[in-house]
Amino acid sequence: MIIAERKPFDELFEMIRPYDRILVLGCGGCVTVCCSGGEKETGLLAEELRLACATHGLTKTFFEGTLTRQCDPEYMEEIKTPLDQVDAILTLACGVGCNFVTERIKERRVVVLPAVNTTFYGATEEQGVWAEKCVGCGNCILHLTGGLCPMARCAKNISNGPCGGSNRGKCEIRQEIDCIWAKIIERMTELGRLDELEKIEPPRDWSKTRHGGPRKIVREDLKL
Amino acid sequence: MKSGSNLEQLLARGEFVVTGELGPPMGAGLAAIEKKAEFLRGHVDAINVTDNQTAVVRMSSVSVASHLVRLGLEPVMQMTCRDRNRIAIQSDLLGASALGIKNCLCLAGDHQSFSRAGKLLGHPGAKNVYDLDSLHLLMTLKTMRDENRFLGGDPIEEGMPCRMFIGAAWTPLAEPIPFRVIRLGKKSRAGADFVQTQGVFDVAQFAEQMKKVRNRGIHEQTAILAGIIVPKTAGMLKYMNKSVAGVTVPEALIKRFEGKKGPEATAEGIKVTAELINQVREIEGVRGVHLMAIEWEHKIPEIVTAAGLLPRPKIES
C-alpha cells in the first residue's frame, strides 16, 4: 500500500489560515490502513483545527467527509458537502488523491491542500511500523534477487551489490537499515541459487521509471 | 597496451607497484595540490585523486588529475556514480582522456549522508544519482576503450579514442565475506584491469581471501593492489575497527599504539605500515600496494623508504 504520514499540525494550521470554509476530506484506501488519513484521523484533525481556531480567535467552518477512495472517479460523488460553500479541501489522501480531486472537482476556485506527506510503497512490519519495499520502477527484477528489492531497499539502488559500505549485514548510511544485498545473498543461498548472482546485471533502463516522464497505462481491453 | 599508463606498463613488466592518494582541496587553489603532490613525486608510481570523498564538495577529480598530468605526475582519477549519470560520466571520461589522464578508478561513492560529519555541514539533502553502479561504470569504460563506442551504442569519433587503464575498489573483508570474492570476479569480468583494496590490517584473513581469489584465477586477469591505511593512533584504529566497513584491526596491532603519543606514535605508525606492506607483498597474487596516508602525504617518503620500496622503477618514454 501507499504509506503516508500526517504533516505536523503547525504546518497544516498555517496552510489553512487564508481560508474560511474548509472541507477536511479523508480516504478509505491505503491511508486508512496505515492510520494516517482514514475517517478516524479525518475526524480528529477537523476537531484539532476547530480547537486551534477557537484558541486563536479565528472564525472558520470545518466540514468533514471521507471517500471510499480519492483515486477513482466513481467515488467523487461521495463528496456530500456542497463545494460552492467551501474555499479549500484539506485532503488526508496520498498525493494521488490530492492530484485527482484537484483535477476532478467542478468548483474550480476550490483549493486542494495536502494534509499528509506521501512517503513510500510499503508493508506493515508490526503494529505501528511500516517499511518501504517497492519503488514502482516499472521493470520488476524480483525474480532475479530472491524476491527482495535492491531498487527500493538499497540506498544506492545497486544492481550488482553489495557495495563496499555494507557492514555486518547493515547499510553504511544507518545502522538500523538492513543491507538488502546481504539479505538477497542470504535468501539466494537458502534457495540454493547463489550461483545466479555471479551474473552481471546490465545497466538499467530508467525510462520505465519516473525518469521517462509521468507514466500512464492504457488497457484497451478494459476501456468502455 | 590498453592505455599505456605508467601503472599499466609497470604491472606489465612485473614490477611491484605503489600508488598513493591525494585529496583535492575544499577551495579553488592549486598550491595545496602541488604541495601534497611533491611529497609523492618519485615515491609512488601513480596518485589516486579522490572524487568528492565522503560526499564533501572538493575540487573535481578530473581537474586535479589533469593538473597532476601538467606537473609530470601520473594520476588515477577516481570517479563515483553518486553525482553523475551515464551522460555526464562518459562526457567527463572523454575530457579526462583528452587531457592525458590514463587511469580511472570506478566507485559507487559514499552516500551523501556521509557529508555531514565532524564540523562539516555537508549536503545531506542532496539528490544522488546512481544511474549506474560501479560494475556498470567498469563496463562503460571498457566499452568506450575496447569497442570505441558509447554505452548507448553511438560510435566515438574517429581518431579520438578514450583509453583508460581501468580500476576498481575491493573490500575483501566486509561481510558477507564469501561473496566478496564472487563480486571481485564480477568486477574483473566487467573490465577491471586492477583493483585497490580497502585498508588491510588483518593480513592473515586477507591472505585467506587471496587464496580464494587465486582458486578462481581472478588475479591473472586483474592486478590486485593491497590497500594500506597508515595508522596514527590507537584511537584511530579502534574507530576504524568499529565503524569502517570491511576494516578489522587485530587487537595486538591496536595494543602497539596504546600509551604512545606524538612522535612516538608517528614512528610506530610508519613502522607498522612498512611491516604491513612487506607482509602483503609476500601473498601470491598481490601486485602492489595502495597507500592511504589520509592527510599525511608528507610521511609517504619515510614510509616507502622504511618499506624498502625505493627507488621506484623508471618508465622508458
Side-chain angles (χ1 to χ4, degrees):
Chain A
M1 72 184 132
I2 293 175
I3 310 294
E5 241 183 333
R6 215 199 70 190
K7 282 178 176 284
F9 183 78
D10 292 348
E11 187 183 340
L12 294 177
F13 192 57
E14 277 310 304
M15 207 187 274
I16 56 120
R17 209 177 258 277
Y19 310 101
D20 293 327
R21 299 166 303 167
I22 298 138
L23 167 59
V24 185
L25 192 64
C27 176
C30 309
V31 289
T32 294
V33 186
C34 71
C35 310
S36 54
E39 197 172 359
K40 185 177 150 201
E41 293 78 24
T42 303
L44 282 169
L45 176 60
E47 208 42 48
E48 245 185 299
L49 288 166
R50 283 186 195 109
L51 263 170
C53 287
T55 313
H56 288 78
L58 300 170
T59 316
K60 292 183 192 291
T61 311
F62 292 95
F63 306 94
E64 285 170 46
T66 299
L67 309 188
T68 303
R69 283 202 301 273
Q70 290 191 25
C71 54
D72 256 319
E74 62 191 281
Y75 301 119
M76 288 298 122
E77 287 162 17
E78 292 178 7
I79 301 178
K80 295 295 175 221
T81 310
L83 291 185
D84 59 353
Q85 292 174 29
V86 162
D87 307 316
I89 296 174
L90 179 62
T91 171
L92 285 93
C94 69
V96 176
C98 188
N99 274 267
F100 201 66
V101 171
T102 298
E103 286 166 355
R104 291 286 163 153
I105 48 171
K106 294 198 174 64
E107 199 69 46
R108 299 309 298 159
R109 57 169 191 87
V110 174
V111 172
V112 186
L113 308 167
V116 301
N117 291 321
T118 307
T119 314
F120 52 78
Y121 304 154
T124 314
E125 301 232 291
E126 57 182 278
Q127 177 72 21
V129 180
W130 295 273
E132 184 166 21
K133 307 288 179 191
C134 175
V135 283
C137 74
N139 194 5
C140 193
I141 53 158
L142 286 168
H143 56 298
L144 304 174
T145 56
L148 303 169
C149 187
M151 294 302 121
R153 301 174 67 184
C154 165
K156 302 177 185 175
N157 55 251
I158 281 174
S159 301
N160 298 282
C163 78
S166 167
N167 202 13
R168 300 178 183 106
K170 298 292 174 187
C171 176
E172 71 175 20
I173 74 165
R174 275 194 303 279
Q175 270 302 298
E176 71 265 24
I177 302 173
D178 286 329
C179 166
I180 198 61
W181 271 105
K183 294 278 178 206
I184 291 168
I185 289 160
E186 216 176 280
R187 179 65 182 144
M188 292 298 267
T189 307
E190 193 173 57
L191 294 170
R193 288 170 49 198
L194 189 66
D195 58 320
E196 289 175 31
L197 296 182
E198 299 253 3
K199 185 177 169 287
I200 298 170
E201 277 307 308
R204 303 263 302 168
D205 175 2
W206 299 107
S207 69
K208 291 177 179 358
T209 72
R210 195 199 55 75
H211 296 281
R215 291 169 282 176
K216 193 171 191 167
I217 294 173
V218 180
R219 284 274 305 271
E220 292 299 340
D221 57 324
L222 293 176
K223 281 177 77 175
L224 295 174
Chain B
M1 285 280 133
K2 290 166 174 171
S3 80
S5 73
N6 292 354
L7 188 61
E8 182 184 9
Q9 291 187 52
L10 292 174
L11 285 167
R13 261 169 40 189
E15 300 281 358
F16 187 80
V17 301
V18 182
T19 55
E21 201 161 279
L22 189 154
M26 290 173 74
L30 297 173
I33 301 163
E34 289 165 5
K35 192 176 167 200
K36 283 181 179 178
E38 288 314 315
F39 292 120
L40 298 168
R41 190 190 291 275
H43 297 110
V44 298
D45 305 312
I47 302 167
N48 280 43
V49 179
T50 49
D51 178 10
N52 297 303
Q53 75 271 25
T54 66
V56 169
V57 179
R58 292 168 184 278
M59 195 186 293
S60 72
S61 61
V62 185
S63 44
V64 175
S66 162
H67 190 58
L68 292 187
V69 172
R70 270 162 48 186
L71 296 173
L73 293 161
E74 170 149 309
V76 176
M77 177 181 72
Q78 295 194 180
M79 183 171 273
T80 73
C81 302
R82 179 193 57 227
D83 310 321
R84 304 172 187 79
N85 67 8
R86 64 191 78 179
I87 299 169
I89 282 173
Q90 292 178 99
S91 159
D92 277 349
L93 284 167
L94 291 180
S97 182
L99 290 165
I101 297 161
K102 294 176 181 171
N103 308 297
C104 179
L105 187 82
C106 304
L107 303 164
D110 297 321
H111 191 266
Q112 67 275 14
S113 60
F114 277 43
S115 64
R116 177 162 291 179
K119 288 179 184 164
L120 294 177
L121 299 173
H123 297 86
K127 183 177 189 299
N128 61 37
V129 181
Y130 298 117
D131 171 18
L132 303 177
D133 69 18
S134 58
L135 270 93
H136 300 150
L137 183 52
L138 292 164
M139 290 161 76
T140 304
L141 265 73
K142 193 172 164 62
T143 304
M144 290 173 79
R145 183 189 69 196
D146 296 350
E147 298 174 34
N148 224 34
R149 62 176 177 88
F150 297 106
L151 198 57
D154 293 328
I156 291 174
E157 282 189 57
E158 244 182 76
M160 292 185 252
C162 182
R163 298 232 166 91
M164 289 285 170
F165 193 51
I166 306 170
W170 183 39
T171 309
L173 302 180
E175 286 177 34
I177 290 175
F179 197 79
R180 295 295 171 180
V181 177
I182 298 178
R183 192 156 187 262
L184 176 67
K186 289 172 82 167
K187 286 192 170 182
S188 175
R189 279 182 280 129
D193 299 310
F194 69 99
V195 297
Q196 292 168 324
T197 78
Q198 174 58 289
V200 173
F201 289 105
D202 191 337
V203 179
Q205 209 190 356
F206 176 60
E208 278 301 306
Q209 283 293 73
M210 282 302 297
K211 197 189 286 175
K212 293 177 189 136
V213 167
R214 291 195 301 275
N215 288 343
R216 284 175 167 252
I218 300 167
H219 66 303
E220 285 158 6
Q221 307 302 320
T222 300
I224 295 163
L225 315 189
I228 304 288
I229 297 172
V230 181
K232 297 174 185 172
T233 60
M236 171 198 179
L237 289 175
K238 281 180 193 162
Y239 167 79
M240 286 197 298
N241 190 42
K242 185 166 171 270
S243 309
V244 180
V247 175
T248 45
V249 188
E251 195 57 36
L253 202 60
I254 298 174
K255 279 219 171 81
R256 284 177 61 175
F257 285 87
E258 262 160 17
K260 291 197 173 76
K261 278 184 192 162
E264 211 189 348
T266 305
E268 190 65 25
I270 291 167
K271 196 168 161 222
V272 167
T273 307
E275 285 171 23
L276 287 171
I277 292 169
N278 285 303
Q279 285 165 10
V280 296
R281 195 172 182 169
E282 293 301 310
I283 302 169
E284 190 188 339
V286 173
R287 306 276 304 279
V289 283
H290 174 57
L291 304 177
M292 291 169 273
I294 317 173
E295 298 302 317
W296 254 23
E297 288 83 358
H298 59 289
K299 298 284 179 202
I300 289 288
E302 256 181 276
I303 290 165
V304 290
T305 306
L309 294 168
L310 293 183
R312 299 309 311 146
K314 291 268 178 297
I315 292 285
E316 317 275 329
S317 53

